Amino acid sequence: MRPDELDRNALDRTARDRSRAPEAPVDMTFVRRFRGPDATAVFRVAGAALGDDAVVLRTTARRDAEPAERVEVAAATAADVERFRTRLAPTPLVTLDRRRAPRERPLVLALVGPGGAGRTSVLEALVGADSFAGWRVGLLTLDTRAGALERLQARAGAARLPLEVVYDAAEAAGALRRLSRCDVVLVDTPPLSLHDDAGASRTAQVLDALAPDERHLVVSAAMRPDLAAPLRMRAGELGATHALLAKLDELPGGEGVAELAGALALPLRWVSDAARGSVAVHAAMPRLLAALGAPLTHDAPAPPPRAPVPDATPARQRAAAPHARGPRRRIGILSARLG
């Protein structure tokens, strides 16, 4: 392949991404909530409803509720949690030592999304992310708005990163050729609007010419899940392959995060937050699994459970009656195993 040619596989992938129908939203009804006077009683009810394979996702103390509903437990079966994880898990990001053969083009990742979602901040955070530690990173932007371009130029200059500005599809091949020494190229784009068909079409044309390996739809985690459908359709016109939930720190309890991810119905590689004052990116799946049991209200978390009373029942009798106990609290194990 000549350096000034686009990767044919990438072009074929772009055609598939653009023609692919949007996936149906993930059905989130598998997470069930049970209430009772205390944790033991609620665990017993959840276990009876979901079986011995039930997983407690979260326990919440509802201090202002009636005594009979003071504790709420979010639970699901392990099989349903695994289906959720499988549906939204991305394919592994290729490793640097295996990615590039001589004369191959860089890995190209594009970020698209509405204004205010944190798209450029996420791009800047990805520059220093662990995912690209040791990689030679290049930047490319299609966003030439006043202020936006200057900000990225300042970031590139401070980090001594090469930056290319592309105004139309005809400039794409030359920009990638000049960035050919990079291992990964991160692409910023203009804000995506539901009401600007012409702007979305221009962005789509340039992205098609760049043929990114992945196109991440950056969405604020505070977006209501029921508003995700039109944005998902618009992003589909740009060939979005992944979703990226930003600003998780604006939702301290994680309320609605898993539901929004399910509504977008795209694999998630990263999420971002600014909990420590600067934007940082994190692996998405552990955060999504933790958010599955997020409360529907801002109740205070339940206090740590008391130490269990030793069971004097003979082991054979306990094994013969597995459903007499409450559900096994395995979310920590699941997070480690599935994330």
Side-chain angles (χ1 to χ4, degrees), residues 234-271:
R234 172 66 84 183
E237 298 171 5
L238 271 63
T241 60
H242 295 70
L244 194 158
L245 300 187
K247 304 182 179 181
L248 260 66
D249 52 295
E250 297 183 1
L251 299 171
E255 180 180 353
V257 170
E259 288 79 1
L260 177 58
L264 292 170
L266 290 168
L268 287 92
R269 188 177 302 287
W270 297 293
V271 296

Side-chain angles (χ1 to χ4, degrees), residues 111-115 119 141-145 148 166 188-193 199 202-203 238:
L111 303 183
V112 302
R119 186 185 58 261
T141 184
L142 318 183
D143 190 0
T144 57
R145 295 172 302 147
V166 172
D188 196 11
T189 60
L192 182 63
S193 172
R202 286 193 298 271
T203 300
L238 271 63

Side-chain angles (χ1 to χ4, degrees), residues 20 75 158 197 213 238:
R20 182 178 56 194
D197 294 343
D213 297 88
L238 271 63

